[in-house]
Amino acid sequence: MTEKILAFQALTPAQTRELADQGVAVVPASEWQSATEISIIFGWSRQHGLAVLQNPANQVKWIQTVSAGIDYLPLDWIREHHIQVTNASGAYSGAIAESTLGYLLYFLRGFNEAVKNQAGHFWQQPARSDLDVLANQKVVIYGTGSIGQAIANLLNGFGNYPFGVNRSGHGVTGFQGAVAMQDDADLVKDADIIINAMPATSETTHYFNEAYFNQLNGLRIFVNVGRGKSVDEQALMHALLYQNVLHAALDVFENEPLPKDSKLWNYPNVLITPHQTGFAPDNALPIFDYLRDNVESFVQDGSLHVNVADVSRGY
Amino acid sequence: MTEKILAFQALTPAQTRELADQGVAVVPASEWQSATEISIIFGWSRQHGLAVLQNPANQVKWIQTVSAGIDYLPLDWIREHHIQVTNASGAYSGAIAESTLGYLLYFLRGFNEAVKNQAGHFWQQPARSDLDVLANQKVVIYGTGSIGQAIANLLNGFGNYPFGVNRSGHGVTGFQGAVAMQDDADLVKDADIIINAMPATSETTHYFNEAYFNQLNGLRIFVNVGRGKSVDEQALMHALLYQNVLHAALDVFENEPLPKDSKLWNYPNVLITPHQTGFAPDNALPIFDYLRDNVESFVQDGSLHVNVADVSRGY
């Protein structure tokens, strides 16, 4: 029997042929309503995805996302109906890591002030002690998966060996050490740079809240390239105002697009990018590889091996 | 006989004692006019340096600069009077290299547009193809000395192996190849990123001129962390206007401070920093090491071994 894959994420004709050779017929997104017997979904639609799952004419067994996070899926329904999910973890990690290094250097090397001074044609050298190099910074990365490891790997090239924070405190290559989330207090109170690269789960929701920021004292840079829900934005703005945090670079937000009237836009020591740190021209290539490799085992025996998400944990 | 060193660059009491132990007496900058028998100058004064050299009460044999470049010294006079010069090459290379990587990521990762959009509270994602990662860029670095090597070393950590341009075309570690300056045409015409890290000499003056930029076609990023005189700023602005060059990051200028009425300030695709890429809190530490090591041999037999500049070449 030929499996049917509904492609909310467009596939090229060549990719469609390749899947056909593997025994999988591609249904274009436009046919989401009329198609029947859909067993696989590639990508997602916030508008129509759940309706496809709930349509009794289909029997979806597997969703391959094109994102690393899976928090926007109807996870309760998916758990209840034993649908498997594979994600695109890794496809964006290299680009996100480069963006993160760019964030750090933007503030460490004084570009934040330079950009403002340029607008006023103002030649104003900083004090030497205002700028610094990465090797001198104590960096703590929350999340030691694909993104956290890619960031650590780049930092190592600058002679910097970061600390990691993860669920169990297990050590990871590229990090000089790691602690479990509940044991992070001693680690972060004298950190220079804190980077969030955790997925959005119930455990990480508003992890960076008022109590968290209150334990910091002049943190040089806070970065969020994980998910917006992990940060209580009101608490972060308060921390910026009272200099518990001196600079922040944010790519993700509690509400996206960040509302036009959010006060975050105005903070002079905040760099805002619109959920773009993972963008690169060739993003789609590794994701199709994940799909194709998973299709291969799925058509044989229903098993999946690449980037299998833990639906109960939510990532 | 005790040598006397005129310290245009301030020395700490501890450093002064250390030099005294080596048989060298420190004369503070304030006594430049009254002091006699000065044989060494540490640092420089554009206002008074030449007068100290020309004062018949002194006999200056050696100048230790606190800069990597020596182009601002009265080189004709120095050559004529066989004064030795040692520079501070290496003291700033790490910081300059980090700034340079920051420049590249600023444009590659779309921060240039994000900063403008933030000012207008404007959430505007770029196209995926507008952003890119360093591994995909063809980078050409002019100058393969201490600064060029430090930049190449950081690039290597991003999976990027740049090309070098130097006087003879000799290969250098961290580069995938190098050519001599006169043979650079084939190399640069399809480059994505060109970085100038050459010293200011008669050979490098206005090296990047109209003819140079005309051979480029949509160069993604031009960086100048060498010397301002190497770039014809009029030609660069013309190239930016006609998109031979798409973005530029500049730390040094033909005239510094960059005049308030320079049109360069206004270019939307230019990032201007005020000659600060080398700044770091601990800049002074390696420079005193150079001075102390050179003093050691100088008091013994008049020889110098650390960072000896080639005064005839001017760097």
Side-chain angles (χ1 to χ4, degrees):
Chain A
M1 185 196 116
T2 297
E3 307 277 353
K4 278 194 199 166
I5 182 167
L6 176 63
F8 280 127
Q9 177 74 20
L11 291 161
T12 66
Q15 290 171 333
T16 300
R17 278 193 303 273
E18 210 171 323
L19 292 175
D21 290 345
Q22 291 187 299
V24 174
V26 172
V27 177
S30 56
E31 294 173 25
W32 69 270
Q33 206 160 16
S34 56
T36 59
E37 294 178 355
I38 292 168
S39 49
I40 309 170
I41 294 179
F42 178 54
W44 188 247
S45 161
R46 283 167 207 248
Q47 232 182 325
H48 307 305
L50 185 58
V52 172
L53 295 183
Q54 294 178 332
N55 182 345
N58 300 324
Q59 199 193 352
V60 176
K61 294 176 225 149
W62 162 38
I63 301 169
Q64 167 71 58
T65 70
V66 297
S67 59
I70 64 168
D71 49 297
Y72 55 85
L73 295 177
L75 291 178
D76 287 339
W77 208 94
I78 284 171
R79 269 189 287 265
E80 213 171 300
H81 293 79
H82 305 291
I83 296 170
Q84 299 184 82
V85 176
T86 54
N87 64 36
S89 174
Y92 306 98
S93 303
I96 293 174
E98 291 205 10
S99 293
T100 301
L101 268 286
Y103 282 159
L104 303 186
L105 295 169
Y106 179 80
F107 287 114
L108 277 182
R109 305 308 305 152
F111 298 172
N112 187 44
E113 298 299 326
V115 164
K116 290 182 186 72
N117 288 330
Q118 183 173 344
H121 295 206
F122 191 44
W123 180 276
Q124 176 65 54
Q125 287 187 321
R128 283 180 190 277
S129 56
D130 287 346
L131 307 190
D132 215 332
V133 292
L134 276 165
N136 294 342
Q137 312 304 307
K138 180 179 176 183
V139 180
V140 177
I141 303 176
Y142 282 80
T144 57
S146 170
I147 296 171
Q149 287 177 39
I151 296 169
N153 182 46
L154 291 185
L155 283 171
N156 294 171
F158 288 74
N160 184 293
Y161 294 84
F163 294 89
V165 181
N166 52 35
R167 286 170 53 92
S168 65
H170 61 278
V172 181
T173 309
F175 292 81
Q176 64 172 288
V179 302
M181 284 170 81
Q182 64 271 21
D183 301 326
D184 64 353
D186 281 347
L187 186 63
V188 301
K189 66 184 176 205
D190 65 345
D192 300 300
I193 295 169
I194 292 175
I195 299 167
N196 177 43
M198 294 190 293
T201 69
S202 57
E203 287 168 289
T204 62
T205 300
H206 277 205
Y207 187 83
F208 302 97
N209 58 17
E210 196 180 333
Y212 183 91
F213 289 122
N214 278 345
Q215 67 189 323
L216 308 177
N217 184 18
L219 180 81
R220 191 160 191 154
I221 310 171
F222 178 78
V223 171
N224 192 4
V225 289
R227 287 295 193 196
K229 285 182 173 40
S230 298
V231 175
D232 178 341
E233 286 173 10
Q234 288 299 328
L236 174 60
M237 286 191 273
H238 190 269
L240 285 160
L241 212 54
Y242 289 91
Q243 304 198 304
N244 296 99
V245 175
L246 303 183
H247 307 97
L250 308 170
D251 191 52
V252 289
F253 303 89
E254 293 194 72
N255 294 299
E256 295 179 15
L258 182 65
K260 227 175 169 66
D261 62 355
S262 167
K263 291 200 174 66
L264 262 181
W265 292 108
N266 300 323
Y267 276 71
N269 293 336
V270 173
L271 174 60
I272 288 174
T273 56
H275 205 144
Q276 69 181 40
T277 53
F279 283 19
D282 50 6
N283 282 149
L285 297 179
I287 299 174
F288 183 72
D289 287 345
Y290 306 153
L291 174 65
R292 190 188 44 205
D293 291 353
N294 276 327
V295 159
E296 191 175 341
S297 59
F298 185 78
V299 296
Q300 277 178 11
D301 56 15
S303 70
L304 299 165
H305 301 286
V306 180
N307 281 340
V308 180
D310 183 336
V311 178
S312 67
R313 283 186 179 169
Y315 68 93
Chain B
M1 187 195 116
T2 298
E3 306 277 352
K4 279 194 197 165
I5 182 166
L6 176 63
F8 279 127
Q9 177 75 20
L11 291 161
T12 67
Q15 291 171 332
T16 299
R17 277 194 303 275
E18 210 173 321
L19 293 175
D21 289 346
Q22 292 187 299
V24 174
V26 172
V27 176
S30 57
E31 294 173 26
W32 70 270
Q33 206 160 14
S34 56
T36 59
E37 293 179 356
I38 292 167
S39 50
I40 310 169
I41 294 178
F42 178 54
W44 188 246
S45 161
R46 283 167 207 247
Q47 231 182 327
H48 307 306
L50 186 58
V52 171
L53 295 183
Q54 293 178 333
N55 182 345
N58 300 324
Q59 199 194 352
V60 176
K61 294 176 225 149
W62 163 36
I63 301 168
Q64 167 71 58
T65 70
V66 297
S67 59
I70 63 167
D71 49 297
Y72 55 84
L73 295 177
L75 291 178
D76 287 339
W77 208 94
I78 284 170
R79 269 190 286 265
E80 215 171 297
H81 294 78
H82 306 289
I83 296 170
Q84 299 184 81
V85 176
T86 55
N87 64 35
S89 174
Y92 306 98
S93 303
I96 293 173
E98 292 205 9
S99 294
T100 301
L101 269 285
Y103 283 159
L104 303 186
L105 295 168
Y106 179 81
F107 287 113
L108 277 181
R109 305 308 304 152
F111 298 172
N112 186 45
E113 297 299 325
V115 164
K116 290 182 186 71
N117 288 331
Q118 183 173 344
H121 296 206
F122 191 44
W123 180 277
Q124 177 64 56
Q125 288 187 321
R128 283 178 192 278
S129 56
D130 286 346
L131 307 191
D132 215 332
V133 292
L134 275 166
N136 294 342
Q137 311 305 307
K138 180 179 176 184
V139 180
V140 178
I141 303 176
Y142 283 79
T144 57
S146 170
I147 297 171
Q149 287 177 39
I151 296 169
N153 182 45
L154 292 184
L155 284 171
N156 294 170
F158 288 74
N160 184 294
Y161 294 84
F163 294 88
V165 181
N166 52 34
R167 287 169 54 92
S168 66
H170 60 279
V172 181
T173 310
F175 291 81
Q176 64 173 288
V179 302
M181 284 170 79
Q182 65 270 22
D183 301 327
D184 64 353
D186 282 346
L187 186 62
V188 301
K189 67 184 176 205
D190 65 346
D192 299 300
I193 294 170
I194 292 174
I195 299 167
N196 177 42
M198 294 191 291
T201 69
S202 57
E203 286 169 289
T204 62
T205 300
H206 276 204
Y207 187 83
F208 302 97
N209 58 18
E210 196 180 334
Y212 183 91
F213 289 123
N214 277 345
Q215 68 189 324
L216 308 177
N217 184 18
L219 180 81
R220 191 158 190 155
I221 310 172
F222 178 78
V223 171
N224 191 4
V225 290
R227 287 295 192 197
K229 285 184 174 37
S230 298
V231 176
D232 178 341
E233 286 173 9
Q234 287 299 327
L236 174 60
M237 286 190 274
H238 191 268
L240 285 160
L241 212 55
Y242 288 89
Q243 303 198 304
N244 295 99
V245 175
L246 302 183
H247 307 97
L250 308 170
D251 191 52
V252 290
F253 303 88
E254 292 193 74
N255 295 299
E256 294 179 15
L258 183 65
K260 228 175 169 65
D261 63 355
S262 167
K263 292 200 173 65
L264 261 180
W265 293 108
N266 300 324
Y267 276 70
N269 292 335
V270 173
L271 175 60
I272 288 174
T273 56
H275 205 143
Q276 70 181 38
T277 52
F279 284 19
D282 49 6
N283 281 149
L285 296 178
I287 299 173
F288 183 72
D289 288 344
Y290 305 154
L291 173 66
R292 191 188 44 205
D293 292 353
N294 276 326
V295 159
E296 190 175 341
S297 60
F298 184 77
V299 296
Q300 278 178 9
D301 57 15
S303 70
L304 299 165
H305 300 286
V306 180
N307 280 341
V308 180
D310 183 336
V311 178
S312 66
R313 281 185 179 169
Y315 68 93

